Amino acid sequence: ISMFMYSINIPLLFYVFTLFFPISYSFCGALIFAFYPSMGWIGRVAVQPYFLVFFLLSISVILLKKSVDEKRKMIAILSALPFFIAIFTQEIVFLYPLWLAIILPLYLSKTMKKDCFGIENLKKSFLFLIPFILAFLFYFGARLYTYPISGGSEGLLFEPGQMLSRLGTRIFDFAT
């Protein structure tokens, strides 16, 4: 299953690259992904969630770009669905809307030929981000319902200071 998922993600990555870069760069990027020097991890069962998340977020990027280019809000709403599924697969996906909050104004400034972080660009970017924010809020609410924040032994202990200090040891988790 891992090899099958990996072989699906290679042409999908190539397609995502062709949406933003010339075909020669896209081909090189997909080849680097396909023939990465350390290939021993591909067959492991533990990487299947990563392949699934990569697949879902790639579909989300494709749909979101289509919605931005064609100015169709329904496709923007549909582009949040793969994100919604992915966030329940791996929690690190919650960074995806933050990434979009940076990338969307840049892309809109390129397509609309206007100031990157101007008011009009930021408003349009925020409108495209609303379905992702709602999906995240639903996930966060479900997470809090399942693991309530409390100091007792029956719930999850939430101390922001400790959480932030532990992030330094997990920096490489964010890179993957």
Side-chain angles (χ1 to χ4, degrees):
I1 292 177
S2 296
M3 288 301 291
F4 175 73
M5 293 171 73
Y6 185 68
S7 63
I8 288 175
N9 284 336
I10 294 168
L12 188 62
L13 178 67
F14 173 71
Y15 180 70
V16 169
F17 280 163
T18 59
L19 295 175
F20 302 101
F21 303 108
I23 198 158
S24 58
Y25 294 153
S26 303
F27 184 72
C28 289
L31 278 180
I32 289 170
F33 180 74
F35 299 112
Y36 188 73
S38 173
M39 301 287 281
W41 52 270
I42 291 176
R44 295 187 184 149
V45 173
V47 298
Q48 289 176 1
Y50 294 101
F51 289 146
L52 178 63
V53 165
F54 183 85
F55 176 78
L56 291 168
L57 292 184
S58 296
I59 298 296
S60 178
V61 167
I62 292 167
L63 290 173
L64 187 61
K65 183 179 183 312
K66 185 177 177 90
S67 72
V68 169
D69 291 344
E70 297 178 7
K71 296 176 178 74
R72 295 179 62 194
K73 292 176 180 62
M74 190 60 185
I75 298 175
I77 294 169
L78 285 175
S79 69
L81 184 62
F83 165 73
F84 183 70
I85 296 167
I87 200 167
F88 280 98
T89 305
Q90 290 204 322
E91 291 178 343
I92 195 66
V93 175
F94 83 91
L95 292 174
Y96 181 65
L98 298 175
W99 177 78
L100 287 178
I102 296 168
I103 297 299
L104 272 173
L106 293 172
Y107 182 72
L108 286 172
S109 71
K110 179 184 168 196
T111 59
M112 294 178 11
K113 309 278 191 249
K114 294 192 178 182
D115 181 28
C116 180
F117 291 102
I119 296 296
E120 187 178 337
N121 260 357
L122 292 177
K123 276 173 48 176
K124 285 190 179 202
S125 297
F126 182 74
L127 290 176
F128 283 110
L129 286 174
I130 288 174
F132 295 94
I133 294 169
L134 292 175
F136 173 75
L137 290 175
F138 179 83
Y139 166 77
F140 192 68
R143 179 82 174 157
L144 283 178
Y145 179 76
T146 308
Y147 301 103
I149 297 173
S150 70
S153 61
E154 57 219 30
L156 180 68
L157 181 62
F158 182 72
E159 295 179 16
Q162 282 186 348
M163 183 185 80
L164 291 175
S165 68
R166 288 188 200 133
L167 282 179
T169 61
R170 301 205 48 189
I171 194 70
F172 297 108
D173 291 346
F174 290 113
T176 58

Coordinates of all heavy atoms in Angstrom, one line a residue, residues 131-160:
P131 N -13.2 28.8 4.9 CA -13.5 27.4 5.1 C -12.5 26.6 5.8 O -12.8 25.7 6.6 CB -13.7 26.8 3.6 CG -13.8 28.0 2.8 CD -13.2 29.2 3.5
F132 N -11.2 27.0 5.7 CA -10.1 26.3 6.4 C -10.2 26.6 7.9 O -9.9 25.8 8.7 CB -8.8 26.7 5.8 CG -8.6 26.2 4.4 CD1 -8.9 27.0 3.3 CD2 -8.2 24.9 4.1 CE1 -8.8 26.6 2.0 CE2 -8.0 24.4 2.8 CZ -8.3 25.3 1.8
I133 N -10.5 27.9 8.2 CA -10.6 28.3 9.6 C -11.7 27.6 10.2 O -11.6 27.1 11.4 CB -10.7 29.8 9.7 CG1 -9.4 30.5 9.2 CG2 -11.1 30.3 11.1 CD1 -9.5 32.0 9.0
L134 N -12.9 27.5 9.5 CA -14.0 26.8 10.1 C -13.7 25.3 10.3 O -14.1 24.7 11.4 CB -15.3 27.0 9.2 CG -15.8 28.4 9.1 CD1 -17.0 28.4 8.1 CD2 -16.3 28.8 10.5
A135 N -13.0 24.7 9.4 CA -12.7 23.3 9.5 C -11.7 23.1 10.7 O -11.9 22.2 11.5 CB -12.0 22.8 8.3
F136 N -10.8 24.0 10.9 CA -9.9 23.9 12.0 C -10.6 24.1 13.3 O -10.4 23.4 14.3 CB -8.8 25.0 11.9 CG -7.9 25.0 13.1 CD1 -7.0 24.0 13.4 CD2 -8.1 26.1 14.0 CE1 -6.2 24.1 14.6 CE2 -7.3 26.1 15.2 CZ -6.4 25.1 15.5
L137 N -11.5 25.1 13.4 CA -12.3 25.3 14.6 C -13.1 24.1 15.0 O -13.3 23.8 16.2 CB -13.2 26.6 14.5 CG -12.4 27.9 14.4 CD1 -13.4 29.1 14.2 CD2 -11.6 28.1 15.7
F138 N -13.7 23.5 14.0 CA -14.5 22.2 14.3 C -13.6 21.2 14.8 O -13.9 20.5 15.8 CB -15.2 21.7 13.0 CG -15.9 20.5 13.3 CD1 -17.2 20.5 13.8 CD2 -15.4 19.2 13.0 CE1 -17.9 19.4 14.0 CE2 -16.1 18.0 13.3 CZ -17.4 18.1 13.8
Y139 N -12.4 21.0 14.2 CA -11.4 20.0 14.7 C -11.0 20.4 16.2 O -11.0 19.5 17.0 CB -10.2 20.0 13.8 CG -9.0 19.2 14.5 CD1 -9.0 17.9 14.6 CD2 -8.0 19.9 15.1 CE1 -8.0 17.2 15.2 CE2 -7.0 19.3 15.8 CZ -7.0 17.9 15.8 OH -6.0 17.3 16.5
F140 N -10.7 21.7 16.4 CA -10.3 22.1 17.7 C -11.4 21.9 18.8 O -11.1 21.4 19.9 CB -9.8 23.6 17.7 CG -9.1 24.0 18.9 CD1 -7.9 23.5 19.2 CD2 -9.7 24.9 19.8 CE1 -7.2 23.9 20.4 CE2 -9.1 25.3 20.9 CZ -7.8 24.8 21.2
G141 N -12.6 22.1 18.4 CA -13.7 21.9 19.3 C -13.9 20.4 19.6 O -14.1 20.0 20.7
A142 N -13.8 19.6 18.6 CA -13.9 18.1 18.8 C -12.7 17.6 19.6 O -12.9 16.7 20.5 CB -13.9 17.4 17.4
R143 N -11.6 18.2 19.4 CA -10.4 17.8 20.2 C -10.6 18.2 21.7 O -10.3 17.4 22.6 CB -9.2 18.5 19.7 CG -7.9 18.2 20.4 CD -7.3 16.9 20.0 NE -6.0 16.8 20.6 CZ -5.4 15.7 20.8 NH1 -5.9 14.6 20.4 NH2 -4.3 15.7 21.4
L144 N -11.1 19.4 21.9 CA -11.3 19.9 23.3 C -12.5 19.0 24.0 O -12.4 18.8 25.2 CB -11.7 21.3 23.3 CG -10.5 22.3 23.2 CD1 -11.1 23.7 23.2 CD2 -9.5 22.1 24.3
Y145 N -13.5 18.7 23.2 CA -14.5 17.8 23.7 C -14.0 16.5 24.1 O -14.4 15.9 25.2 CB -15.7 17.7 22.7 CG -16.8 16.9 23.2 CD1 -17.7 17.4 24.1 CD2 -17.0 15.5 22.8 CE1 -18.8 16.6 24.6 CE2 -18.0 14.8 23.2 CZ -18.9 15.3 24.1 OH -19.9 14.5 24.6
T146 N -13.1 15.9 23.3 CA -12.6 14.6 23.6 C -11.6 14.6 24.7 O -11.5 13.8 25.6 CB -11.9 14.0 22.3 OG1 -12.9 14.1 21.2 CG2 -11.5 12.6 22.5
Y147 N -10.7 15.6 24.7 CA -9.7 15.8 25.7 C -9.8 17.2 26.4 O -9.1 18.1 26.0 CB -8.3 15.7 25.1 CG -8.0 14.4 24.4 CD1 -8.1 14.2 23.1 CD2 -7.8 13.2 25.2 CE1 -7.8 13.0 22.4 CE2 -7.5 12.0 24.6 CZ -7.6 11.9 23.2 OH -7.4 10.7 22.6
P148 N -10.7 17.3 27.3 CA -11.0 18.6 27.9 C -9.7 19.1 28.7 O -8.9 18.4 29.2 CB -12.1 18.4 28.9 CG -12.2 16.9 29.1 CD -11.5 16.3 27.9
I149 N -9.6 20.4 28.7 CA -8.5 21.1 29.4 C -8.8 21.2 30.9 O -9.8 21.9 31.2 CB -8.2 22.5 28.8 CG1 -7.8 22.3 27.4 CG2 -7.1 23.2 29.6 CD1 -7.6 23.7 26.6
S150 N -8.1 20.5 31.7 CA -8.3 20.6 33.2 C -7.0 20.2 33.9 O -6.1 19.7 33.3 CB -9.5 19.7 33.6 OG -9.1 18.4 33.5
G151 N -7.0 20.5 35.1 CA -5.8 20.1 35.9 C -6.0 18.8 36.6 O -5.0 18.3 37.2
G152 N -7.2 18.1 36.4 CA -7.4 16.9 37.1 C -6.8 15.7 36.3 O -6.3 15.9 35.2
S153 N -6.8 14.5 36.9 CA -6.3 13.4 36.2 C -7.1 12.8 35.1 O -6.7 12.1 34.3 CB -6.0 12.2 37.2 OG -7.3 11.9 37.8
E154 N -8.4 13.3 35.0 CA -9.3 12.8 34.0 C -9.2 13.5 32.7 O -9.7 13.1 31.7 CB -10.7 12.8 34.5 CG -11.2 14.1 34.9 CD -12.1 14.1 36.1 OE1 -11.9 13.2 37.0 OE2 -12.9 15.0 36.2
G155 N -8.5 14.7 32.7 CA -8.4 15.5 31.4 C -7.0 15.7 31.1 O -6.0 15.3 31.7
L156 N -6.8 16.4 30.0 CA -5.5 16.8 29.5 C -5.0 18.1 30.2 O -5.7 19.0 30.3 CB -5.6 17.1 28.0 CG -4.3 17.5 27.3 CD1 -3.3 16.3 27.3 CD2 -4.6 17.9 25.9
L157 N -3.8 18.0 30.8 CA -3.3 19.1 31.5 C -2.7 20.1 30.5 O -2.0 19.8 29.6 CB -2.1 18.7 32.4 CG -1.5 19.8 33.2 CD1 -2.5 20.4 34.2 CD2 -0.3 19.2 34.0
F158 N -3.2 21.4 30.5 CA -2.8 22.4 29.6 C -2.1 23.5 30.3 O -2.7 24.3 31.0 CB -4.0 22.9 28.8 CG -3.7 23.9 27.8 CD1 -3.1 23.5 26.6 CD2 -4.0 25.2 28.0 CE1 -2.9 24.4 25.6 CE2 -3.7 26.2 27.0 CZ -3.2 25.8 25.8
E159 N -0.8 23.6 30.0 CA 0.0 24.7 30.6 C 0.8 25.3 29.4 O 1.7 24.7 28.9 CB 1.0 24.2 31.7 CG 0.3 23.6 32.9 CD 1.2 23.1 33.9 OE1 2.4 23.4 33.8 OE2 0.8 22.3 34.8
P160 N 0.4 26.5 29.0 CA 1.0 27.1 27.8 C 2.5 27.2 27.9 O 3.2 27.0 26.9 CB 0.3 28.5 27.7 CG -1.0 28.3 28.4 CD -0.7 27.3 29.5

